[in-house]
Amino acid sequence: NDANLHALWDDFDAVALNRKDKKFTLLDLYEIMNDEPYGIKAGLHCIIGLAYLLSHDGEFSWYEEDKFIIDINPSVIELLKKRPQDFSFRFISSSPFNNEFYDKIKSEFKIKGLDKEKVTPIDILSPILNEISSLPEYTNNTALELSITARNMRKAIKEAIEPESLLFESLPDAFDLPRFDEMNSNERDRFINLFKANYLELKQAFPNLLGKIREAIFSRFNLTDSETSILELRKRVARLKDLEDKKLK
């Protein structure tokens, strides 16, 4: 019933929210469910544990084998169900002193659906990092056509250990700025502008590559970039394919 669920959530909170910077695991929650006065069947442990975690969306950072998880997707959930012992979580507290800074990032990156009063670094970073983590392999590995600042930002994200240290220390360092608590107002605005500019640079890296390949192909065949030229190029490729097929016969 609701009273039991409320009591169970309170016991979960005692483990998850009151450990300061210490992590907890699903197995910690399973132990609470297994013991008196609950005695919940093992088959329900994962469902209830996940429901608790998701009810605190943005307040817990997730880790797999102590490595910070940037993108919490269905594949991660499936792994967590199979290997709960490999995953841990840590409560991220919010600070009203950072609300103006968060609001500026939300506005600059057009982050939607973040209307709650207590905003955490996870809330701010998740939608941005999810997009970056899903970029093509080329973007995640290339050193070509990327500025050193964009490469530094990508490196900081890949090596992130904690969301707070990424946002307040590693990313400012990538932009050659002081850590967050040492920045003045102008430096914080510059941080946001650099974060957005380098985020866009990473997002455009692969489309820019495709554009250059396209230009090179048209140039090689002495064509202009137009629908007519595309049709002409297709005809030439078809003729070459026919010749190749005849050689093979």
Side-chain angles (χ1 to χ4, degrees), residues 7 67 70 76 107 117 124 143 160 167 187 193 226 232 238 247:
K67 181 176 174 57
I70 290 174
V76 171
S107 174
E117 291 182 12
I124 294 297
L167 183 60
E187 287 170 330
N193 292 336
S226 66
E232 174 62 25
K247 287 180 183 178

Side-chain angles (χ1 to χ4, degrees), residues 223-236:
L223 297 171
T224 57
D225 191 344
S226 66
E227 287 298 321
T228 303
S229 295
I230 291 172
L231 291 174
E232 174 62 25
L233 188 57
R234 285 175 180 165
K235 289 177 184 177
R236 293 190 190 186

Side-chain angles (χ1 to χ4, degrees), residues 32-86:
I32 293 172
M33 288 185 266
N34 192 57
D35 290 345
E36 294 294 337
Y38 306 109
I40 297 171
K41 292 180 180 179
L44 296 174
H45 287 182
C46 186
I47 296 170
I48 296 172
L50 278 171
Y52 173 75
L53 291 172
L54 295 176
S55 73
H56 284 277
D57 183 36
E59 295 181 316
F60 294 132
S61 51
W62 291 41
Y63 307 83
E64 182 182 3
E65 296 181 339
D66 283 331
K67 181 176 174 57
F68 174 52
I69 303 173
I70 290 174
D71 183 13
I72 301 168
N73 54 51
S75 297
V76 171
I77 301 297
E78 286 303 313
L79 281 175
L80 183 146
K81 290 177 183 177
K82 295 174 183 176
R83 304 200 313 264
Q85 69 278 6
D86 291 345

